[in-house]
Amino acid sequence: MSQIPAELRYSESHEWVQRLAPGHFRVGITDHAQELLGDVVFVETPAVGQTVTAGASCGVIESVKAASDLFTPLNGEVCAVHAELADNPQWLNEDPYGQGWIFELQGSDEDFAVLLDAKAYAQLSGS
Amino acid sequence: MNELLRTTPFHDWHLAHGARMAAFAGWEMPLHYGSQLQEHHAVRQAAGFFDVSHMRPLDVWGPDARALLRYALANDIARLDDRPGKGLYSTMLRNDGGILDDLIVFHLSSECYRLVLNAATAVQDLEYLQSLAHLQLWQVRFLPRDDWGILAVQGPRALSLVSPLLGVPALQNCPRFQGLELEFSSLFVARTGYTGEDGVEILGTPERLLAIADALHAQGVAPAGLAARDSLRLEAGLLLYGQDMGPADSPDRSHLAWTVDLRDPKRDFSGRAAIAKERHGILHQQLWGLVLSRHAIPRTGYEVLAEDGQIIGTVTSGLFSPSLGRGIALARLAAPYGPGMSAQVRIRHQVFPASIVEPPFWRQGKAIYPL
């Protein structure tokens, strides 16, 4: 069954969020999401400096068989993107919570606190 | 999963081998066993095996079986006369030339033929053939082979792997589209496939097919799912019924004109008059291939535009081609757009350049178009 690390928070659209420091978050897609997508071949990330809105599309993940929107779980400003994914899109499949991280943003700790915890996400994703 | 979905005899096998299952044409089928890309490359480079038991064998027996199928099919099974086991790809047409299904028909004897039908259309195909036989008072019996599954073994190494398992040393000498009845007709193996690679499709009882799958797996051959089957068939330029063509499309407009055999002027077949009429006019539409760049991946339903921005058609099947490393598609385009011309595909809010090409994209181990 798919992995759901206890220390992360989750969105209903299958992204995970890691709190790196107060107001500083890292975002990727969950193990469940990468299983649904199949082999990822291309990731279109948001741009550094871009303002993103929770629940809105901010990029695209293309697998062999389907294109899927990338949503941001938090409001904020993108402060880093994982540029190496351009040449290594398979990292989303191989290590979705590690090497497969997608972008980082500056956001609010209050917004983070109301995201799903691992237990709630496990229920949602049927894992 | 959905309890209304049918399952194949391999269902438990799939789950035991880590398959991610998905619904396809009313069946619960394996999508992949971990990585579609690895499964795709394994078939291109060595071999892989697929459970394709959702495809349905139908045996047609009787003194009028030949007459029925010469009427029902656009290709002419008279080509198979006196060639036991030989198979033929054909479309089956409505009177107006629309495609009811595409299938392979094997000649077993002058009074017995074996069809292999698409999952989604098998039931309506049988009803249609029954109604034709009834109207014409043809002496025919239908035997759906619900007792059988189908295992496809595909790839450059497929024949050498399967030959010893079936005890058929001469499988490599078996011509393409030739079927062999084995083990007192309890097993039927044909040199056919849907991947653009050499290989066989094996029809037989679940027990026998599971034993073959286990023996292949024990030799290190990996199972492959429907996702890899889709990327393999699209690279090979093979159409998927219901997606690339259907009842609204004629063979001539679907790059399948070669499946229509008009040579015998005395043979009447369903759709003949409509096809003949269509061939007197100007073809206004055709199914062509599109090749895009690595990061431009066309999907079903995307708009195709001319260089001046005018809409000229729609993508019917598209994906990232694992062998070519770029986006490829089949697309239904208005005349006169065709191979050698440039087009564009609208992908979300951008348009990307595409070359119009003649399918296939990949044949016998190599790319057809320069990368």
Side-chain angles (χ1 to χ4, degrees):
Chain A
M1 291 287 36
S2 59
Q3 303 285 313
I4 305 178
E7 67 275 19
L8 303 178
R9 291 294 176 104
Y10 300 88
S11 72
E12 291 181 5
S13 49
H14 307 289
E15 288 83 26
W16 56 261
V17 183
Q18 180 186 10
R19 187 166 178 262
L20 298 169
H24 184 192
F25 306 94
R26 176 174 276 191
V27 177
I29 63 165
T30 66
D31 192 27
H32 179 71
Q34 70 80 18
E35 275 187 17
L36 290 178
L37 282 169
D39 294 283
V40 174
V41 294
F42 174 52
V43 185
E44 189 183 297
T45 59
V48 171
Q50 185 178 332
T51 301
V52 292
T53 310
S57 169
C58 66
V60 177
I61 301 171
E62 299 253 19
S63 69
V64 179
K65 69 185 172 73
S68 177
D69 282 315
L70 170 66
F71 295 98
T72 169
L74 295 174
N75 294 321
E77 183 180 320
V78 176
C79 57
V81 298
H82 194 180
E84 288 173 79
L85 287 181
D87 294 322
N88 303 280
Q90 73 280 9
W91 287 352
L92 265 74
N93 298 111
E94 293 168 359
D95 189 10
Y97 299 112
Q99 255 187 329
W101 70 274
I102 300 173
F103 67 95
E104 292 175 8
L105 57 75
Q106 305 284 348
S108 105
D109 290 323
E110 289 74 25
D111 289 350
F112 175 75
V114 299
L115 291 172
L116 302 173
D117 62 15
K119 198 174 151 198
Y121 180 68
Q123 275 184 341
L124 177 95
S125 63
S127 299
Chain B
M1 201 173 267
N2 189 337
E3 60 203 36
L4 297 174
L5 293 175
R6 296 178 71 181
T7 57
T8 77
F10 281 86
H11 192 254
D12 291 343
W13 196 98
H14 298 317
L15 296 180
H17 291 83
R20 170 160 282 280
M21 306 299 286
F24 180 81
W27 294 73
E28 190 182 329
M29 299 299 291
L31 199 56
H32 62 76
Y33 302 82
S35 169
Q36 168 182 6
L37 284 175
Q38 281 174 25
E39 293 161 23
H40 180 108
H41 292 312
V43 171
R44 286 277 179 256
Q45 287 155 17
F49 61 90
F50 306 77
D51 171 21
V52 289
S53 303
H54 59 308
M55 308 238 310
R56 290 287 82 222
L58 171 66
D59 290 353
V60 183
W61 294 76
D64 295 325
R66 183 175 177 277
L68 167 67
L69 294 174
R70 286 197 85 200
Y71 179 79
L73 303 181
N75 216 334
D76 191 353
I77 57 159
R79 292 171 184 233
L80 306 177
D81 287 351
D82 305 316
R83 300 166 76 188
K86 192 68 182 176
L88 186 69
Y89 175 79
S90 182
T91 45
M92 185 159 78
L93 308 179
R94 302 194 301 201
N95 274 325
D96 68 0
I99 303 172
L100 285 170
D101 203 358
D102 68 332
L103 54 88
I104 294 179
V105 52
F106 294 96
H107 169 112
L108 303 185
S109 74
S110 59
E111 296 197 355
C112 183
Y113 292 84
R114 174 163 293 152
L115 312 183
V116 181
L117 307 170
N118 280 307
T121 44
V123 171
Q124 70 199 48
D125 288 351
L126 173 59
E127 289 169 359
Y128 170 70
L129 292 170
Q130 282 171 328
S131 71
L132 289 180
H134 183 75
L135 276 171
Q136 302 284 342
L137 303 177
W138 276 321
Q139 299 285 305
V140 183
R141 286 172 57 205
F142 298 94
L143 180 61
R145 297 304 304 258
D146 294 336
D147 54 328
W148 276 6
I150 307 182
L151 182 73
V153 190
Q154 302 279 297
R157 289 189 60 215
L159 292 186
S160 57
L161 285 160
V162 170
S163 287
L165 291 178
L166 300 182
V168 184
L171 207 51
Q172 281 92 337
N173 301 331
C174 177
R176 302 279 171 122
F177 274 83
Q178 179 69 43
L180 300 170
E181 291 201 84
L182 301 174
E183 302 176 14
F184 305 101
S185 299
S186 68
L187 202 63
F188 184 77
V189 55
R191 196 167 173 184
T192 53
Y194 191 52
T195 59
E197 297 296 331
D198 203 353
V200 291
E201 291 174 300
I202 309 168
L203 286 64
T205 57
E207 303 72 45
R208 193 69 183 90
L209 296 185
L210 282 161
I212 294 167
D214 281 332
L216 288 169
H217 199 237
Q219 293 178 54
V221 184
L226 286 191
R229 187 172 155 83
D230 194 46
S231 48
L232 290 160
R233 71 95 190 166
L234 188 53
E235 288 183 348
L238 300 168
L239 278 59
L240 174 60
Y241 186 79
Q243 185 165 310
D244 298 309
M245 78 299 199
D249 309 304
S250 72
D252 283 16
R253 281 181 276 122
S254 304
H255 215 260
L256 292 174
W258 63 277
T259 67
V260 180
D261 190 337
L262 296 171
R263 287 178 302 178
D264 179 353
K266 293 196 292 288
R267 180 174 76 106
D268 185 25
F269 63 87
S270 180
R272 177 166 194 144
I275 298 294
K277 189 177 168 208
E278 188 175 56
R279 288 188 182 180
H280 279 292
I282 295 164
L283 205 60
H284 63 276
Q285 191 187 68
Q286 186 56 282
L287 202 65
W288 296 115
L290 299 175
V291 178
L292 291 88
S293 68
R294 179 171 191 85
H295 290 161
I297 308 172
R299 308 288 182 184
T300 302
Y302 283 10
E303 271 176 3
V304 184
L305 317 171
E307 285 184 299
D308 65 6
Q310 178 198 348
I311 296 172
I312 58 168
T314 308
V315 170
T316 57
S317 290
L319 45 66
F320 175 82
S321 160
S323 304
L324 276 65
R326 47 180 61 212
I328 61 168
L330 289 174
R332 197 164 277 290
L333 303 182
Y337 295 93
M341 300 171 79
S342 296
Q344 311 181 84
V345 178
R346 187 185 302 285
I347 300 175
R348 293 179 291 280
H349 304 298
Q350 272 178 282
V351 291
F352 291 86
S355 305
I356 307 176
V357 300
E358 169 110 32
F361 306 92
W362 182 273
R363 184 161 47 205
Q364 289 165 355
K366 46 180 192 291
I368 302 289
Y369 300 101
L371 301 182

